[in-house]
Amino acid sequence: MDSSYPRPLKLSGYLDPFTSFMSTPCIGIEFPDVDLVDWLEAPNSDGIIRDLAILIARRGVVFFRAQKNLTGELQKELMRRLGQLSRRPRENGLYRHPFSQLLGDVDPEISAFSSPATKDNCSKETTPMNSSRKSFRQSMDICRRTLTALKGIVKLSGRTKDLPKLEIPGKRQSGRLEWQSDITFEQNPPDFSSLRMTNLPKNGGDTLWASGYGLYETLPESAKLLLENLTATHSQPVLKVMAEEKKNKVFKGPRGSPNNIGTAMEAVHPLICTHPVTGWRSVFAAGTDILRDSRDDEIGFMLNRVVINEVSANTSQIILNRLMSMMTDNHEIQVRFQWKSPSDIGTFCLIFKILTKTLKYLG
């Protein structure tokens, strides 16, 4: 625990009467029988939501099943109150993605996205898996949903040379590059988020989360000392190009926080940070999301770029690759959630957890 931070918030027992079980020893907990609307409307609702915020901060992600009564507005209310009751600055509010207008979102604080159909090697029957994520913390998956628009903007402007590229094997051998962190290009990234599924595939389409706490605890003490003195620049090259080409459709802010303004799409964060609710140390959000060129699947544009500032570019890449491998190769710090019912939902701590999804599923 970092002694320079305020004392950690403590649970008050409001969640004790409700049945729950830990998904894994390290990350995740599920309340199988709770209706979140009942919690939002309960006489002791503030106490319940405050304890839920603390629990999310501790466990990384909290799951609820079949929230059929939870409307988009109520889900936004839940996200708003989670922050308000757990040390979010008073001036901060719901997050709005800088390209919510361009992406066609009816409500700029609500993002709905669909995963493209992915052919399974064992079957020809596949259909898109639709999901809805309604929160003030928008996922980088928004960029996937605008793949065609992004390629058109970048290619027509002749700006492809401005984007960092990665060589990607033609055949999918690993899901390593699918792990991602959201909105780290902002000066003050979001705290809580939620992911809700509305239409389920017959099989597959699970979502995985990894614990930044767990990753930090696996580091040797010497590595912790080294990394705690480092900072990293997080940027979104694709979004920056979009901002320059579509100036009239960029929401310049403030986006959730008064500090999230402008179109730089770049911010500096510590590599190791302390959670303001728990006081626990964590590896700050890591992960790379790739925008593939459909004409050449071996090349992808890097959506989320992270570079350590105090070391050479080569050393930065070595450190980040090692952290990524430690995260993706260690199932003990991961949880895999199977969506079973419409409106299943995962509420999670956005920056201190890294997530991915399985791309193969049957309609």
Side-chain angles (χ1 to χ4, degrees), residues 151-319:
K151 288 193 301 180
I153 292 170
V154 172
K155 291 181 182 297
L156 289 176
S157 63
R159 298 291 300 279
T160 54
K161 59 180 174 51
D162 295 343
L163 303 179
K165 295 181 180 180
L166 292 179
E167 299 297 326
I168 304 173
K171 291 186 177 180
R172 182 181 175 84
Q173 299 173 337
S174 168
R176 180 177 179 272
L177 292 177
E178 300 295 337
W179 287 89
Q180 60 181 314
S181 303
D182 299 339
I183 320 300
T184 60
F185 62 87
E186 299 283 21
Q187 299 297 323
N188 296 132
D191 46 13
F192 299 104
S193 186
S194 59
L195 183 67
R196 182 168 63 155
M197 197 72 66
T198 55
N199 296 321
L200 275 66
K202 295 178 180 178
N203 183 272
D206 301 351
T207 302
L208 290 79
W209 282 262
S211 170
Y213 301 141
L215 179 56
Y216 177 78
E217 291 302 323
T218 62
L219 295 171
E221 290 302 317
S222 57
K224 292 179 182 177
L225 291 174
L226 169 65
L227 299 183
E228 285 176 355
N229 293 312
L230 300 179
T231 62
T233 298
H234 296 243
S235 61
Q236 286 269 353
V238 170
L239 293 188
K240 186 174 183 179
V241 169
M242 288 179 65
E244 293 172 357
E245 297 297 326
K246 296 288 184 180
K247 296 179 181 178
N248 62 326
K249 292 192 175 182
V250 180
F251 179 63
K252 297 181 176 63
R255 300 183 290 266
S257 163
N259 295 324
N260 297 339
I261 56 176
T263 59
M265 309 300 170
E266 182 175 293
V268 176
H269 302 294
L271 204 59
I272 305 295
C273 54
T274 301
H275 198 294
V277 174
T278 63
W280 298 347
R281 302 291 273 167
S282 171
V283 175
F284 190 78
T288 301
D289 209 13
I290 303 301
L291 177 65
R292 299 174 186 269
D293 187 331
S294 61
R295 297 184 308 169
D296 186 353
D297 197 41
E298 294 183 358
I299 296 178
F301 296 132
M302 190 187 304
L303 291 182
N304 186 35
R305 188 182 193 187
V306 182
V307 179
I308 299 175
N309 298 313
E310 293 80 7
V311 298
S312 68
N314 185 55
T315 302
S316 171
Q317 197 61 55
I318 291 173
I319 294 174

Side-chain angles (χ1 to χ4, degrees), residues 23-24 63 204-209 334-338 358 360:
S23 308
T24 75
F63 301 110
D206 301 351
T207 302
L208 290 79
W209 282 262
Q334 302 172 12
V335 61
R336 179 168 181 156
F337 185 66
Q338 183 181 22
T358 56
K360 291 183 178 180

Side-chain angles (χ1 to χ4, degrees), residues 113-120 126-131 141 143-147 178 205 292 357-361:
F113 61 91
S114 300
S115 298
T118 304
K119 183 178 292 186
D120 187 275
T126 58
T127 59
M129 176 181 63
N130 299 319
S131 62
D141 277 342
C143 291
R144 292 193 177 282
R145 154 166 96 78
T146 57
L147 178 61
E178 300 295 337
R292 299 174 186 269
K357 61 276 181 189
T358 56
L359 296 182
K360 291 183 178 180
Y361 49 85

